[in-house]
Every structure is written in C-alpha cells, then in structure tokens.
Amino acid sequence: MDWIEDQIEWSADGNKVAIGLTRFGAGKSLLLLPALSSISTHTEMRSLQERLGTSFATTAIDWPGFGTLPRPKADWRPELYRAFLRFVISAVQPAATITARLAGLAHRAELAPDPAPAE
C-alpha cells in the first residue's frame, strides 16, 4: 500500500486555505482527525493509519490553520471549524470518524496490562 501525502483547498471567510492530509489503505473510508491543538498535525495519526489501513481507506487531515502549511489571516471561530468539518465529511464521505482523543484512549487500552483472571 502506498502513502499519499496531499493537500485540499478550503475557503474560510473568502480566504483560500491549503490543508495537509495523508491517505493510506483500502476499503471503507475512515476519517482521522488530530487533536484540535496548536501542536497537532495529521502526521500524529500515522501509527493508527498503519493499523487501520490494512482494512480501511484512511484519511488523516489537519484542522484548518493548523499543521505545517501556512495559516492565512481569518477570524478563526467555532462556526468556521464546523463548516470545515461539514466540508471534509462531504469530501471524504467516511463510514466513521476517529478523533485523536478516542485514538489515544484506544492506544492506552492496548498498552494496558491484561486484567488478572477471575478466581
């Protein structure tokens, strides 16, 4: 399977915004969103994409204004992020969406020791 590093363009208040993403895998589409944080990028989802990509077509995407691409001047507010989410869901048409917070919980659960057997 090939990793595809790509960009999509979205408009925030009339300003074009380039948004980084990675595609990997084949099958039903999954959308992977990193934490909404100034230090989070779609690349933090890579290990999850590696695992899920064996069964699903994964798309990990940056939030607009985050990631490594230039952040245009805009009034970044909740309505813009909701509009972006509608846009990306329409573009990717995922069967499911996984956020970094949920992925982190799954990762922690995987690393947790097995519970002691019941007596």
Side-chain angles (χ1 to χ4, degrees):
M1 282 181 255
D2 292 331
W3 287 92
I4 300 170
E5 292 289 338
D6 202 0
Q7 295 179 18
I8 60 170
E9 191 172 272
W10 178 68
S11 181
D13 290 338
N15 298 310
K16 295 196 183 301
V17 182
I19 300 169
L21 62 88
T22 304
R23 292 185 172 99
F24 180 72
K28 288 187 177 183
S29 179
L30 293 180
L31 175 61
L32 308 176
L33 297 167
L36 189 52
S37 162
S38 62
I39 60 169
S40 292
T41 72
H42 70 276
T43 57
E44 74 183 43
M45 306 301 274
R46 188 170 183 111
S47 64
L48 185 58
Q49 277 188 281
E50 287 174 345
R51 290 188 169 160
L52 294 174
T54 60
S55 301
F56 299 95
T58 64
T59 301
I61 190 165
D62 288 327
W63 288 98
F66 293 90
T68 59
L69 298 176
R71 180 179 186 164
K73 187 172 176 75
D75 177 18
W76 297 102
R77 58 193 185 280
E79 295 82 23
L80 280 183
Y81 292 106
R82 282 193 292 270
F84 170 73
L85 196 51
R86 284 190 299 273
F87 164 78
V88 79
I89 286 172
S90 173
V92 175
Q93 297 185 348
T97 301
I98 299 172
T99 65
R101 179 171 216 156
L102 294 176
L105 290 173
H107 182 67
R108 279 192 294 251
E110 180 182 293
L111 295 176
D114 290 333
E119 294 183 32

